[in-house]
């Protein structure tokens, strides 16, 4: 059998140029990053003897949690959970209309579409801490301010995820409904919602997990949750208590993770 | 304001309304633990309980570690009593007309000072020597850590921008303790902190007292405040004031306050005492640049 | 009943989906369209219920030109025309009943349908339809728990529930294995006979077409190249439809067939 | 119509079976029950949205306007620092996540033990809020960019490894089988069958995490872990909301730009 | 060459995939396995390269019992045995070349293969294989840009590049239309003849089986119920394999076939 070598692959020059530009910019980006970050990070300080003694001092304490503060920590953790639950549920519902607006297969108007996407993006960029500040000013330093901050912020992310779910549904089904004379609203309830509901729920639960973590920060400005405790025990260098907080968060969030994974599996 | 205790009560959870002088159904008391103290409290519960007993209105205590939310919440009268640090109070007074009624006494004084900490072997002896050195600031919004020392240097050496014209570099250390630590470790030449922040890290850094020294102090800074919103009726303000003052005679409360907030006593106060902070802030209002 | 008068369709990208198609399908006929991939079979079928809109010519359904239809009149047309798809197009996560009853959406008010407030008769009709394709015991199963053949039967039941005058089926058996294919085709044929519903089916295999069709329409590149009863199909026809001489390969299992039956 | 439907007692009258209906009702009641409970615990009642609420909110919101563009010049250096932090953290996390996510994919790792260990480790990693990570690293390394980067690495590693390992678990296993059937070993299977399949998602998730890191550094600065959050905290402390808003707008623009670039890259890859 | 000695396989869930299978396949034979869905055809084939492991009996390949193989010896077995799948199992996003050259993985070191450092001959061999299935002009296309038939030809080229002694093909044409199916079967047959590679193919359609097979093995419920040359297949055989009388439906396009050829 005579052996022929395959022809060399042809690459369009346009593609080559594109690749070249991308590579160059990547290299430049990294050079720039590493050169300037070296100025900012004081390496000799990061890896000083002090760091080693810090490790000796902090790490053992982190791993011997202060069990005496369990009650206090748990109480705040439970509050955090409530905030996260109320906030995510609120977001799970309010995100739906935005998601439909932002889904390109639902709203054919490109302008509205982009508008929807931008709203969601903008909401997401607003730091929770600033939202919480606004709501604390509006209704006082209580958990509800935290719920609103978490909820509003979550609408951004859930809306985006939802809209992606909607964009990925089987449009043939929609076509089939169209073909038997259903109107838009009927199509929505018979063709679209059954397809998206499990994913919606699953994302909402997933968002709840994230919100549990996110609401830890709210305490800093008095909007409830475990955040105040964290900041105060760190400021007091009470690493045992930080250890306890860490432990409680890990355990509680892990339990939630498992529960939600279990529920999500049953939904889809 | 006049007393119209029945009239202005709009029945809402948190009171509200702009009519000066009212008695809400419930009082919210916000507490920002002072960064300028050695122990930072995580609860305001005992105080709230005691106060509730004295004034006969339900009091709910809230702790937050950042005063801005408290200032704004007082601005919208969602919070009626605020334990505000001096600088926070000044902002709250200017923006929302919040009034100071009381202040804390610590270590026998109703004021405290900021100090300049340098390494003992640095050869720096006085403020003049600081020119061109690296400055560790706990936080640009700290009264003792930044505002007062900066003002002092500004006046003394007639510079406009202390951070760049006088010092060669400024590090934001993120806390009084961290500022001292960065001096200790040689990252900075001088740290400005409250007097004496070094004790807070003594447990972790036993050598700190020997290896560093204090080369100067600023003028006196008034201690943290207990302030109330302008919407509270004079009568109620008075009641609150008296209730707090009565804690001074209550051994248990003194003990709690000392343990939890390192307060020795509560003293009467008025806005004039905080004018010095307001003036200092005025100097910086437009010139504080970051980095 | 359905009349194509010089119908052409050009897709936005310039592809000619239909080219001067003229044909007339009578009530109760069972017509099978055959042709290579891309010949325009789907385009032909989908024009009839206006899932695509021809760009020129006239398309009459029950003597009305449907090309002018819009909004409400279009929905009304579609309630008259049932459609069966290659991939069944069931809502996978809904129950069989919900899928089948959705055939009545065009007959039901929006509000009622959203809250599942169908009249008893509709449920009965849906159940009846399921029975006709022998799948009534799956009424509360989720559609994705069914095999392909079962799903296609559900989609037939959905169309039956719609009580249409015309059934369109776009390659209804392309995803099914031969025995199941025959089963599905038989149900279609049976319904066509019993209910006198005009039925138009796209098929890939000419042999299966000949087994069921009253009439075969052969298409190629958007044009009708053959139109006549199954019995008139000749080698010539093949050439026209496939654009080359017939080869044994065109039919699954060519020559051994004869040995088989001998 | 040949057969008129006859309504009998056997005729179904709903679209789901009674059992399903009961289950759905139960689930819904649980969700709502929990909601009522947490509403109660957090004082979240619709009655809170009274006129006072809206005036107060409005009073806060108008203070954000107009953004103070003079402040932008102060933001730039910190913004660049933030971007650098995010780039480094994302890169390192992306590299570290490769072995971890392979080990956490059940179609690659056949040892149930190893799989569970890695999975548990990643789960624990993900439970820790970014703010706590930052606080601890600041405690260990002192204030600055370095602990911030570490916190971001750990934080994004958890997310990235989970996403990637789930992607790996969802790939088409047939090519793996084909490579295996032609005698390829595990590494070859990964390189020839897994990598090409997950590459687009890998890139797009990495870019997604990059975006998350930019947003996260807004938070990290609050506890002294460098980046733009430091400015946010200061401006909030000065009650300078116009500056805060400037900051938010700038971050928003950066995120939108990243979003745009990553969409382009994704399109190029798929 | 391949000998099943009382081989049984019970899946972990209790399904009996194979039941006391005894058979002997000789070098260079072209064997087609037929049977209903679930009859155990895939299980039979996949046992030979140990993608599944029989639970009892002995399976000899070139006189060695492969059931004891592990790790390295198993990989060595697999380099000798090429496999073709129903869904082609190409890496969709890789080029045709990369897919085809992956047939040589078993012959190449890990390091070299990861950095694409194949010897020149391997590239030449891969290209040659592509030529043999007439698809060499697609060498640098991405696999997902090819049609089903082309993808299956690429997967044949991949197997050829592997230079195996045995080729297993698990329903290689089930996803293809009839003309393409025949094309693919013809390539397989041609390779079997030219290279003397023992070839075992699973098929759904008994008619196509008879067209290409030297020998047919019929399976039912995990058991071999027929084993003999294609010419010996009778109605009786059908009954055994399908468990009932032969019906016209079992062959796509039954009766009209005859008219066709007349
Ligand atoms: N939406 C569309 N936009 C552009 N071109 C299209 C569109 N739909 C179909 N076409 C093209 O129109 C021609 C006819 O397509 P059609 O789907 O009607 O063929 P078909 O006979 O049904 O083929 P198949 O057997 O593959 O389903 C083809 O060339 C196809 O590529
Ligand atoms: N991994 C598995 N675990 C459990 N049972 C299996 C597994 N794979 C196959 N089976 C069962 O073993 C039996 C034989 O399956 P096999 O795939 O060999 O059949 P087949 O003849 O190839 O069928 P098909 O035509 O559908 O491919 C079937 O009952 C099948 O459900
Ligand atoms: Mg078609
Ligand atoms: Mg099989």
């Amino acid at each position: 059998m005579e052996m022929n070598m395959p022809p060399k692959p042809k690459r369009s020059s346009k593609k080559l140029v594109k690749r070249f530009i991308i590579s160059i910019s990547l290299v430049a980006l990294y050079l720039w990053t590493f050169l300037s970050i070296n100025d900012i990070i004081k390496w000799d300080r990061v890896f000083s003897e002090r760091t080693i003694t810090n490790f000796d001092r902090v790490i053992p304490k982190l791993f011997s949690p202060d069990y005496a503060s369990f009650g206090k920590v748990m109480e705040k953790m439970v509050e955090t959970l409530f905030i996260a639950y109320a906030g995510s549920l609120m977001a799970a519902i309010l995100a739906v209309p935005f998601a439909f607006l932002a889904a390109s297969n639902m709203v054919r108007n490109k302008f509205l579409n982009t508008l929807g996407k931008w709203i969601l993006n903008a909401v997401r960029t607003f730091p929770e801490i600033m939202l919480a500040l606004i709501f604390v000013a509006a209704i006082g330093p209580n958990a509800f301010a935290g719920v609103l901050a978490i909820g509003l912020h979550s609408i951004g992310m859930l809306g985006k995820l939802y809209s992606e779910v909607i964009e990925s549904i089987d449009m043939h089904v929609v076509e089939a409904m169209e073909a038997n004379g259903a109107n838009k609203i009927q199509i929505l309830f018979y063709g679209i919602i059954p397809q998206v509901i499990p994913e919606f729920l699953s994302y909402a639960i997933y968002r709840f997990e994230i919100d549990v973590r996110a609401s830890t920060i709210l305490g800093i400005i008095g909007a409830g949750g475990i955040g105040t405790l964290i900041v105060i025990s760190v400021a007091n260098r009470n690493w045992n208590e930080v250890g306890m907080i860490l432990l409680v968060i890990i355990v509680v969030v892990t339990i939630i993770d498992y529960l939600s994974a279990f529920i999500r599996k049953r939904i889809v | 304001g006049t007393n119209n205790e029945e009239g202005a009560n709009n029945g809402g959870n948190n009171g509200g309304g702009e009519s000066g002088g009212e008695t809400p159904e419930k009082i919210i008391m916000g507490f920002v633990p002072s960064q300028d103290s050695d122990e930072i409290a995580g609860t305001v519960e005992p105080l709230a309980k005691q106060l509730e007993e004295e004034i006969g209105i339900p009091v709910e205590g809230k702790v937050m570690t950042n005063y801005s939310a408290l200032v704004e919440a007082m601005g919208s009268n969602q919070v009626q009593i605020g334990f505000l640090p001096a600088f926070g109070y000044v902002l709250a007074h200017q923006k929302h007309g919040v009034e100071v009624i009381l202040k804390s006494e610590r270590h026998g004084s109703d004021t405290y000072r900021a100090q300049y900490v340098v390494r003992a072997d640095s050869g720096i002896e006085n403020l003049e020597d600081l020119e061109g050195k690296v400055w560790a600031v706990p936080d640009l919004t700290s009264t003792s850590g930044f505002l007062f020392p900066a003002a002092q240097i500004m006046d003394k050496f007639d510079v406009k921008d202390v951070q760049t014209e006088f010092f060669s570099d400024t590090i934001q250390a993120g806390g009084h303790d961290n500022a001292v630590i960065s001096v200790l470790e040689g990252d900075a030449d001088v740290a400005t902190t409250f007097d004496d922040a070094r004790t807070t890290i003594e447990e972790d850094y036993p050598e700190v007292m020997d290896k560093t020294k204090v080369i100067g102090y600023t003028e006196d800074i008034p201690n943290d405040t207990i302030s109330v919103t302008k919407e509270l009726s004079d009568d109620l303000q008075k009641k609150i004031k008296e209730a707090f003052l009565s804690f001074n005679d209550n051994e248990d409360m003194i003990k709690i306050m000392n343990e939890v907030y390192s307060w020795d006593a509560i003293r009467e106060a008025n806005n004039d005492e905080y004018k010095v902070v307001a003036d200092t802030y005025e100097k910086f209002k437009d010139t504080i640049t970051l980095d | 009943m359905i009349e194509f008068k010089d119908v052409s369709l050009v897709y936005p990208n310039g592809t000619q989906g239909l080219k001067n198609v003229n044909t007339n399908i009578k009530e109760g006929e069972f017509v099978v369209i055959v042709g290579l991939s891309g010949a325009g079979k789907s385009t032909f079928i989908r024009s009839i219920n206006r899932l695509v809109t021809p760009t020129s010519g006239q398309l009459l359904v029950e003597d009305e030109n449907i090309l002018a239809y819009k909004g409400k009149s279009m929905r009304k047309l579609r309630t008259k025309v049932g459609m069966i798809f290659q991939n069944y197009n069931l809502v996978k996560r809904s129950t069989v009943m919900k899928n089948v009853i959705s055939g009545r959406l065009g007959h039901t008010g929006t509000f009622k349908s959203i809250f599942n407030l169908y009249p008893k008769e509709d449920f009965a009709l849906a159940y009846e339809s399921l029975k006709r394709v022998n799948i009534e015991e799956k009424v509360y199963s989720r559609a994705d728990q069914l095999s392909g053949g079962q799903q296609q039967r559900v989609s037939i039941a959905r169309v039956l529930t719609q009580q249409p005058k015309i059934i369109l089926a776009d390659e209804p058996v392309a995803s099914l294995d031969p025995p199941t294919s025959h089963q599905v085709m038989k149900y279609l044929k049976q319904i066509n006979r019993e209910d006198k519903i005009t039925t138009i089916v796209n098929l890939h295999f000419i042999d299966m077409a000949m087994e069921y069709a009253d009439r075969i329409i052969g298409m190629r590149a958007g044009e009708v190249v053959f139109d006549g009863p199954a019995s008139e199909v000749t080698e010539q026809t093949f050439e026209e439809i496939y654009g080359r001489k017939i080869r044994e390969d065109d039919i699954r299992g060519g020559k051994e067939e004869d040995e088989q039956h001998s | 119509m040949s057969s008129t439907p006859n309504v009998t007692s056997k005729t179904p009258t709903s679209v789901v079976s009674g059992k399903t209906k009961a289950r759905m009702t139960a689930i819904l009641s649980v969700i709502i029950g929990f909601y009522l409970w947490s509403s109660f615990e957090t004082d979240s009642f619709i009655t809170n949205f009274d006129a006072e609420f809206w005036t107060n909110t409005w009073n806060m919101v108008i203070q954000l306007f107009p953004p103070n563009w003079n402040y932008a010049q102060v933001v730039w250096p910190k913004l660049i620092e933030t971007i650098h932090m995010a780039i480094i953290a994302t890169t390192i996390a992306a590299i570290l996540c490769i072995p971890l996510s392979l080990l956490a994919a059940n179609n690659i790792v056949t040892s149930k033990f190893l799989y569970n260990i890695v999975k548990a480790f990643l789960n624990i990693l993900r439970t820790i809020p970014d703010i706590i990570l930052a606080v601890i690293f600041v405690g260990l390394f002192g204030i600055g960019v370095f602990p911030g980067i570490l916190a971001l690495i750990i934080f994004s590693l958890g997310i990235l490894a989970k996403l990637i390992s789930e992607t790996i678990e969802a790939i088409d296993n047939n090519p793996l089988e084909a490579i295996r059937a032609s005698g390829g070993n595990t590494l070859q299977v990964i390189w020839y069958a897994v990598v090409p399949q997950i590459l687009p998602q890998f890139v797009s998730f990495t870019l997604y995490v990059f975006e998350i890191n930019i947003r996260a550094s807004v938070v990290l600065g609050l506890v002294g872990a460098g980046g733009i959050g430091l400015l946010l905290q200061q401006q909030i402390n000065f009650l300078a909301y116009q500056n805060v808003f400037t900051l938010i707008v700038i971050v928003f623009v950066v995120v939108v730009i990243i979003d745009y670039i990553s969409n382009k890259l994704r399109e190029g890859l798929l």
Side-chain angles (χ1 to χ4, degrees), chain C residues 173-174 176-179 181-183 186 204-208 210-212 230-231 233-235 238 244 246-258 260-261:
Chain C
V173 298
L176 303 174
D177 62 79
S181 299
H182 281 279
Q183 207 181 37
K186 269 177 191 151
H204 226 98
F205 297 112
I206 201 163
D207 48 352
M208 193 177 259
M210 292 191 304
E211 189 170 345
Y212 294 95
S231 53
V233 173
T234 61
E235 279 210 26
F238 270 85
R244 55 167 166 71
I246 178 177
R247 283 201 320 238
E248 277 155 7
D249 294 355
D250 290 328
I251 301 158
R252 274 212 182 184
K255 78 184 167 221
E256 281 85 354
E257 216 58 49
D258 309 286
Q260 192 54 44
H261 288 275

Side-chain angles (χ1 to χ4, degrees), chain A residues 3 18 24 42 49 71 82 115 124 134 155 162 168 219:
Chain A
M3 292 279 197
K18 219 165 146 188
I24 290 284
K42 312 216 164 47
E49 237 168 85
F82 281 128
L115 183 74
R124 234 155 23 112
I134 292 175
I155 288 177
Y162 281 6
S168 71

Side-chain angles (χ1 to χ4, degrees), chain D residues 161-220:
Chain D
K162 179 190 157 80
L163 289 173
I164 303 283
S165 65
E166 278 171 4
T167 310
I168 296 177
E169 285 179 354
I171 59 172
D172 179 5
N173 275 320
N174 290 327
L176 274 71
E177 190 167 56
I179 304 268
R180 226 172 260 144
S182 68
N185 62 30
T186 308
L187 268 182
Q188 289 172 326
V189 168
I190 290 171
W191 188 253
Y192 275 79
V194 179
V195 170
Q197 290 196 62
I198 62 164
L199 202 60
Q201 278 95 333
F202 181 76
V203 172
S204 100
F205 285 145
T206 305
L207 289 165
Y208 168 64
V209 164
F210 180 58
E211 193 190 310
I212 291 186
N213 279 339
I214 298 257
R215 290 179 206 275
S217 54
V218 174
V219 172
L220 297 188

Side-chain angles (χ1 to χ4, degrees), chain C:
Chain C
M1 172 137 210
I2 302 168
E3 197 175 351
F4 281 72
K5 281 188 179 167
D6 214 28
V7 171
S8 293
L9 188 153
V10 182
Y11 281 108
N13 65 0
T15 315
Q16 182 113 29
L18 294 178
K19 209 156 139 192
N20 307 323
V21 172
N22 281 292
T23 192
N24 193 338
I25 293 165
K26 280 181 286 297
E27 194 158 346
E29 266 191 310
F30 194 103
V31 181
V32 174
I33 325 262
V34 291
L36 284 173
S37 191
K41 306 183 294 293
S42 298
T43 311
F44 181 96
I45 276 213
R46 296 157 75 86
S47 297
I48 298 171
N49 65 350
R50 284 285 308 282
L51 284 179
V52 295
T53 305
T55 41
S56 72
Q58 281 197 315
L59 210 173
L60 310 184
V61 173
E62 295 190 313
D63 301 324
E64 273 194 65
N65 184 4
I66 63 159
L67 297 190
Y69 280 10
K70 259 197 210 165
K72 200 149 185 184
S73 57
M74 189 139 87
R75 278 208 297 282
K76 215 167 141 206
L77 164 73
R78 287 175 178 172
T79 51
K80 281 201 299 223
V81 183
M83 187 148 186
I84 294 166
F85 301 83
Q86 171 180 345
N87 297 315
Y88 334 129
N89 290 4
L90 301 180
V91 181
K92 294 254 159 50
R93 288 194 187 110
S94 295
T95 59
V96 165
M97 183 43 113
K98 191 159 182 196
N99 270 294
V100 172
I101 201 104
S102 81
R104 292 220 64 78
L105 285 178
H107 302 270
T108 314
T110 310
F111 177 82
K112 286 194 170 168
S113 61
I114 286 177
F115 292 98
N116 292 325
L117 302 171
Y118 294 90
K120 258 206 171 111
E121 296 78 49
D122 283 5
F123 279 108
L125 176 63
Y127 193 57
E128 206 60 38
S129 311
L130 282 171
K131 272 191 185 156
R132 287 182 71 188
V133 291
N134 278 317
I135 195 148
E136 73 273 17
E137 81 276 14
K138 298 283 185 192
V139 56
Y140 289 131
S141 303
R142 267 169 53 152
D144 54 7
Q145 288 165 355
L146 306 184
S147 71
Q150 290 174 324
Q151 288 195 40
Q152 195 60 296
R153 269 142 71 198
V154 171
S155 94
I156 294 177
R158 174 171 66 185
V159 162
L160 282 178
T161 312
Q162 194 182 331
Q163 298 189 307
K165 299 204 171 138
I166 301 166
I167 289 180
L168 310 173
D170 195 354
E171 312 216 14
V173 298
S175 309
L176 303 174
D177 62 79
T180 321
S181 299
H182 281 279
Q183 207 181 37
V184 167
M185 286 307 289
K186 269 177 191 151
Y187 280 120
L188 281 177
K189 184 84 189 187
Q190 174 193 327
I191 287 159
N192 162 258
R193 278 197 203 124
E194 286 176 5
D195 300 4
K196 306 268 178 309
I197 300 178
T198 315
T199 307
I200 306 175
V201 182
N202 275 357
L203 285 181
H204 226 98
F205 297 112
I206 201 163
D207 48 352
M208 193 177 259
M210 292 191 304
E211 189 170 345
Y212 294 95
D214 296 336
R215 171 176 164 194
I216 287 180
I217 294 180
M219 294 193 69
R220 203 178 137 200
E223 288 179 287
V224 172
V225 291
F226 174 86
D227 189 348
S231 53
E232 276 176 22
V233 173
T234 61
E235 279 210 26
Q236 170 71 18
T237 321
F238 270 85
E239 260 187 69
E240 275 163 359
I241 297 177
Y242 292 123
R244 55 167 166 71
K245 280 240 168 244
I246 178 177
R247 283 201 320 238
E248 277 155 7
D249 294 355
D250 290 328
I251 301 158
R252 274 212 182 184
K255 78 184 167 221
E256 281 85 354
E257 216 58 49
D258 309 286
E259 295 169 32
Q260 192 54 44
H261 288 275
S262 59

Side-chain angles (χ1 to χ4, degrees), chain A residues 70-145:
Chain A
F70 176 78
K72 172 168 85 173
V73 173
M74 204 56 210
E75 188 190 323
K76 283 292 173 189
M77 189 68 216
V78 169
E79 191 184 20
T80 305
L81 289 185
F82 281 128
I83 293 175
Y85 185 81
S88 350
L89 193 67
M90 183 181 114
I93 292 163
L94 294 181
V96 174
F98 289 102
F100 273 94
L101 189 64
S104 56
N105 57 345
M106 291 295 129
V107 175
R108 300 276 179 205
N109 181 326
K110 218 175 155 94
F111 171 76
L112 285 177
N113 228 276
T114 321
L115 183 74
K117 288 200 157 97
W118 277 69
I119 292 177
L120 292 174
N121 243 328
V123 168
R124 234 155 23 112
T125 311
F126 230 85
E128 274 133 332
I129 194 90
M130 189 60 212
L131 289 174
L133 180 72
I134 292 175
F135 291 123
V136 167
I139 50 158
N142 55 47
F144 186 47

